[in-house]
């Protein structure tokens, strides 16, 4: 079964600093990968997704992620954090075939941005 | 275009009471999902429906039932609520178009916060 691992549950950065949120996947073949963001008291919103078209994926709000097959990783980055980036971030995976209609989510990472 | 809507937004139940959470989408999506979100657990799939008239169990289906009433609506029922079902419940629907750039994007509702005493 496919899964994703987000190590830790909280990360804190200063405004203007680099944001790096880690995600590693477990799959026998490269899957489809997603990053979702959840702002306080809201539902989840898609940030970006990898569907094998390009390994460097750009998303909304200045975020990007790079798919690295050799490292089974799909880490999310943003060069300069903004206060409005404070939210919880979820990595998710789906297989490319057989059960591809389902997403499996990581446990989430809460990002705090300090002034 | 409202996207995915859920009712109610908040609910408090006593142990043993029943209730139905409602979800509707206006994006003409075939697939719909129910998740629960608990602290430190991420989102876990309860049930999903790949098309009108079909439903399948997800990771944590025990204690829940679902109904895909029509293409727009997918309801989640708790027949006898338990404190372990205290959670935030999200409904989602999936982009079904075949083009790769739209593949498997799920759209989420705002959630229902349920407390079972």
């Amino acid at each position: 079964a496919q899964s994703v691992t987000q190590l830790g549950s909280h990360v804190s950065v200063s405004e203007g600093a680099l944001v790096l949120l880690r995600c590693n996947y477990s799959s026998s073949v490269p899957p489809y990968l997603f990053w979702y963001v959840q702002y306080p008291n809201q539902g989840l919103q898609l940030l970006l997704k990898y569907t094998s078209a390009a390994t460097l994926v750009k998303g909304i709000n200045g975020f990007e992620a790079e798919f690295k097959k050799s490292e089974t990783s799909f880490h999310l980055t943003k060069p300069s954090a903004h206060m409005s980036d404070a939210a919880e971030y979820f990595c998710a995976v789906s297989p490319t075939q057989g059960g591809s209609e389902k997403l499996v989510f990581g446990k989430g990472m809460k990002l705090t941005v300090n002034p | 275009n409202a996207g995915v809507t859920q009712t109610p937004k908040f609910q408090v139940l006593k142990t043993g009471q029943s209730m139905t959470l409602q979800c509707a989408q206006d994006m003409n999506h075939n697939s719909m999902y129910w998740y629960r979100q608990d602290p430190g657990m991420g989102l876990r799939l309860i049930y999903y429906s790949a098309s009108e008239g079909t439903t399948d169990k997800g990771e944590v289906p025990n204690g829940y039932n679902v109904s895909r009433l029509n293409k727009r609506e997918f309801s989640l029922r708790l027949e006898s609520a338990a404190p372990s079902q205290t959670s935030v419940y999200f409904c989602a629907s999936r982009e079904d178009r075949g083009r790769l750039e739209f593949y498997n994007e799920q759209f989420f509702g705002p959630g229902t916060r349920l407390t079972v005493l």
Side-chain angles (χ1 to χ4, degrees), chain A residues 19-90:
Chain A
V19 176
L20 170 61
L21 302 180
R22 298 179 186 274
C23 174
N24 289 89
Y25 69 89
S26 171
S27 175
S28 56
V29 296
Y32 296 135
L33 292 157
F34 306 78
W35 275 100
Y36 280 82
V37 60
Q38 183 182 31
Y39 298 104
N41 299 314
Q42 294 187 26
L44 277 72
Q45 176 182 348
L46 183 70
L47 263 182
L48 50 81
K49 60 188 174 186
Y50 167 76
T51 54
S52 76
T55 57
L56 182 62
V57 182
K58 294 187 185 301
I60 61 172
N61 300 337
F63 283 92
E64 63 181 38
E66 186 172 8
F67 173 75
K68 291 187 176 181
K69 183 179 176 182
S70 61
E71 299 177 9
T72 61
S73 68
F74 190 57
H75 301 332
L76 182 70
T77 60
K78 181 174 180 177
S80 177
H82 193 273
M83 297 295 289
S84 60
D85 295 327
E88 191 158 16
Y89 293 80
F90 294 91

Side-chain angles (χ1 to χ4, degrees), chain B residues 1-12:
Chain B
N1 193 341
V4 179
T5 57
Q6 292 183 237
T7 55
K9 285 187 169 46
F10 301 93
Q11 184 72 48
V12 179

Side-chain angles (χ1 to χ4, degrees), chain B residues 83-99:
Chain B
S84 61
Q85 294 178 304
T86 294
S87 188
V88 182
Y89 291 86
F90 288 100
C91 177
S93 69
R94 174 176 168 249
E95 175 60 73
D96 291 318
R97 282 181 283 176
R99 290 167 60 184

